Amino acid sequence: MVHIVQQGDPVLRELAQTVPVKDITTPKIQKIISDMKEALASQKDGVAIAAPQIGIPLRIFVVSGLILRHADPDKYPDGEDMVFINPTITKLSKKKNEVDEGCLSVRWLYGKIKRSAQASVSAYNEQGEKIERGASGLLAQIFQHETDHLDGVLFIDKAYDIEEIPPEKQNEEGDERLYDTHNDEDLGE
Ligand code: ZN
């Protein structure tokens, strides 16, 4: 099983390095991507993961295909995980929403945070092709949370009303928090 590093590990505070585009299709980088997908799939509340969270200080994040399909079934019908390499946020809406947030590397804290309602990311996919994605709601929140990871920033640096909810206190309703705390009308745009 791929280990997910926890808050306190210095790798989470590093400025992650750019991946040379010619290296994206090499076995080394492809192995890192598959380890990230494995780590993400191992967490039932996981929506996305950044490479530093498995101890690799490179600018890569992966968004769960299930979450993509939930957020925008027309654009992401197949449920495949989506890989973002060397992502840059190209647009952020001025309008922000207060949303609930947690992190696979900051167990078991949750808090409220202000995130832009819309965000666009330019990146490379796992085949080394340039991609551009715009999103709103949960997906926009994920883009901001994950690019923060690549800059050594954790959500607890910006969040407020932080509380600890240990796994044994998390009921079905608790799990829902992570997926569906947004105004549902924000999803799927
Ligand atoms: Zn995180």
Side-chain angles (χ1 to χ4, degrees):
M1 205 172 117
V2 182
H3 176 66
I4 298 179
V5 302
Q6 292 299 308
Q7 184 199 356
D9 190 314
V11 73
L12 292 173
R13 294 307 194 172
E14 273 183 49
L15 183 65
Q17 300 291 303
T18 300
V19 181
V21 175
K22 63 174 175 43
D23 292 353
I24 290 174
T25 53
T26 61
K28 183 182 162 223
I29 299 296
Q30 294 291 314
K31 171 76 166 73
I32 291 167
I33 292 167
S34 78
D35 284 353
M36 289 171 69
K37 289 179 178 176
E38 188 188 323
L40 181 57
S42 75
Q43 305 296 306
K44 77 181 171 88
D45 58 348
V47 296
I49 194 165
Q53 294 183 271
I54 62 160
I56 309 283
L58 288 176
R59 303 190 78 79
I60 307 172
F61 71 80
V62 175
V63 181
S64 156
L66 299 175
I67 291 304
L68 289 168
R69 190 165 59 192
H70 176 79
D72 197 338
D74 295 331
K75 215 194 278 184
Y76 308 103
D78 59 5
E80 297 269 330
D81 292 345
M82 194 164 177
V83 180
F84 295 80
I85 300 165
N86 302 340
T88 355
I89 299 236
T90 52
K91 264 184 245 165
L92 276 182
S93 65
K94 278 210 195 79
K95 181 177 179 272
K96 292 189 175 189
N97 291 331
E98 181 187 83
V99 291
D100 290 315
E101 208 160 293
C103 179
L104 302 178
S105 294
V106 192
R107 296 305 202 183
W108 294 91
L109 301 182
Y110 299 90
K112 295 195 180 306
I113 191 165
K114 291 212 166 72
R115 296 289 194 190
S116 288
Q118 270 109 27
S120 297
V121 169
S122 147
Y124 291 88
N125 66 15
E126 61 196 301
Q127 285 83 41
E129 299 154 348
K130 192 105 192 168
I131 53 168
E132 176 96 37
R133 290 288 180 275
S136 59
L138 177 59
L139 202 46
Q141 179 185 0
I142 290 172
F143 287 168
Q144 293 164 78
H145 180 109
E146 299 308 318
T147 49
D148 275 353
H149 267 303
L150 305 182
D151 294 333
V153 173
L154 297 175
F155 85 97
I156 42 170
D157 303 346
K158 304 173 173 178
Y160 44 94
D161 294 348
I162 293 172
E163 56 177 332
E164 186 171 8
I165 309 174
E168 62 274 15
K169 290 236 175 90
Q170 297 196 15
N171 51 24
E172 285 302 310
E173 202 182 319
D175 292 337
E176 281 293 297
R177 280 162 54 95
L178 297 169
Y179 295 103
D180 280 330
T181 46
H182 293 262
N183 319 322
D184 265 331
E185 65 265 25
D186 278 348
L187 298 175
E189 281 171 27

